[in-house]
Amino acid sequence: TDATILITGETGTGKEVLARGIHYYSPRKNNSFVPVAVGTLPDHLLEAELFGHVRGAFTGANTDKEGLVEAADKGTIFLDEIGEVNFDTQHKLLRVLQEKTVRRVGSVKERVIDVRFVSATNEDPEELVKKNKMREDLFYRLNVIQLNIPPLRERKEDIPILAYHFLKLYKSSGLVEVEE
């Protein structure tokens, strides 16, 4: 399915790893996977980073620039910490999800896109809606499929698997010597 997915779980549970797995086991695997840590981008840059801009749209916009949503065309965009996006940008994201088009900042031209959206939050998304931190209509668009990753303390059976994985990884890198 190309349905949008909302991944929830505590910080450090592997939400981006799951998002990458979803992408790499999908028909979109041969196209771009574009991860975006939206919480790290200031509000005034986020819109231009996501949607791109045209020359002259604002001070310093000397050339046209493709946005990250366009860069993910035919692939997957992963929006990490979606609850930290401001309401104006949430509205624009909602429009992109509904219309399957993107408009660069300062442009009147809409570009058709084919992007799968996977987003994540370490907060309860329904609480974000109740606290007016997330638009309810955007929540429903992003939450077609919701996956929750429990913390490792609730998945103790995964510890040996992870330990073996990292042991093999470090052994093959030559960082540690391991006797079989």
Side-chain angles (χ1 to χ4, degrees):
T1 179
D2 269 342
T4 58
I5 296 176
L6 179 60
I7 302 170
T8 60
E10 293 180 11
T11 300
T13 55
K15 294 181 292 291
E16 184 172 341
V17 172
L18 179 58
R20 284 181 186 278
I22 290 166
H23 172 75
Y24 289 117
Y25 287 99
S26 78
R28 296 176 178 270
K29 67 184 173 199
N30 295 321
N31 298 300
S32 297
F33 176 83
V34 179
V36 185
V38 296
T40 65
L41 296 169
D43 289 344
H44 65 280
L45 289 179
L46 181 60
E47 183 179 350
E49 283 296 310
L50 287 176
F51 308 123
H53 61 76
V54 296
R55 181 175 175 255
F58 50 83
T59 304
N62 299 325
T63 61
D64 288 359
K65 181 178 181 263
E66 177 181 71
L68 296 172
V69 173
E70 276 184 85
D73 193 33
K74 308 277 186 284
T76 303
I77 190 161
F78 173 61
L79 303 174
D80 195 14
E81 297 312 331
I82 191 68
E84 295 183 26
V85 174
N86 67 55
F87 258 58
D88 288 339
T89 305
Q90 284 185 32
H91 176 75
K92 291 171 182 156
L93 269 173
L94 178 64
R95 183 160 175 77
V96 169
L97 285 160
Q98 289 174 331
E99 305 300 323
K100 307 227 182 296
T101 61
V102 65
R103 185 182 316 165
R104 292 179 180 178
V105 175
S107 177
V108 294
K109 182 181 175 190
E110 292 193 342
R111 299 166 190 269
V112 176
I113 54 159
D114 175 19
V115 176
R116 182 194 208 159
F117 282 81
V118 179
S119 52
T121 180
N122 63 6
E123 298 182 59
D124 178 343
E126 292 177 3
E127 283 299 313
L128 291 171
V129 170
K130 287 178 187 173
K131 294 177 182 175
N132 287 323
K133 288 184 164 187
M134 180 182 278
R135 292 175 57 108
E136 186 173 20
D137 47 4
L138 178 64
F139 167 67
Y140 286 114
R141 284 283 181 185
L142 295 174
N143 194 41
V144 174
I145 297 172
Q146 187 177 116
L147 302 173
N148 181 57
I149 303 177
L152 192 57
R153 68 180 171 274
E154 294 175 15
R155 307 180 279 135
K156 290 185 176 25
E157 66 279 1
D158 289 351
I159 294 172
I161 297 165
L162 289 167
Y164 182 72
H165 166 76
F166 287 113
L167 189 62
K168 279 183 20 184
L169 181 71
Y170 290 127
K171 181 180 177 185
S172 68
S173 72
L175 293 173
V176 294
E177 291 184 28
V178 179
E179 292 183 30
E180 296 292 326

